[in-house]
Amino acid sequence: MRETLGPFQGIWDAWIEAENEIAQKPLSHFERATQIQFEELKEHLSRGDREAAARELIDVVSIALNNLRNLGFTPQEIAEVARDRADHRMRGQAGAILKKYQDTYGI
């Protein structure tokens, strides 16, 4: 069986059991969950624990996938959106994207 989400398919599958609960979550749930993961990421980085930091970033991916699930996307649709976004928004434009964040948001 082809895994549509590649290495992230297992994360998707692990959350199937909570689909009904995820469907009830507001956007603010995903926003705050992401903030918490970045707070934990900072703690791990301050201790120099690169592996733990990586796990927190995978948790951010998990939150993003669950937010997409909450919006009603299937793994196949997510894969299509990701490919399209890379091809039509990011490829060849990474520098411009970074400049936009610098100019617009000061980061």
Side-chain angles (χ1 to χ4, degrees):
M1 178 176 152
R2 187 170 158 247
E3 293 190 338
T4 305
L5 296 174
F8 303 112
Q9 186 68 50
I11 293 171
W12 178 271
D13 294 344
W15 284 89
I16 288 172
E17 67 186 61
E19 276 184 328
N20 292 333
E21 187 174 348
I22 291 167
Q24 304 303 313
K25 298 292 184 187
L27 179 61
S28 60
H29 166 84
F30 301 100
E31 179 180 19
R32 181 62 185 129
T34 302
Q35 290 170 345
I36 291 166
Q37 294 309 308
F38 273 92
E39 290 165 8
E40 293 175 358
L41 170 66
K42 289 176 191 176
E43 291 174 19
H44 295 307
L45 290 174
S46 73
R47 292 194 302 273
D49 192 341
R50 183 174 170 260
E51 289 77 19
R55 288 190 296 271
E56 299 305 340
L57 289 169
I58 294 299
D59 289 350
V60 171
V61 171
S62 174
I63 294 164
L65 288 171
N66 279 325
N67 200 354
L68 288 160
R69 182 193 308 264
N70 177 274
L71 294 173
F73 286 90
T74 67
Q76 294 78 13
E77 291 169 324
I78 293 167
E80 183 178 320
V81 169
R83 281 189 296 274
D84 183 67
R85 191 71 172 158
D87 290 344
H88 298 108
R89 172 65 178 109
M90 297 174 186
R91 186 164 291 124
Q93 299 179 64
I97 294 168
L98 287 174
K99 184 173 180 359
K100 173 188 170 185
Y101 278 98
Q102 174 64 45
D103 294 348
T104 304
Y105 303 105
I107 60 170

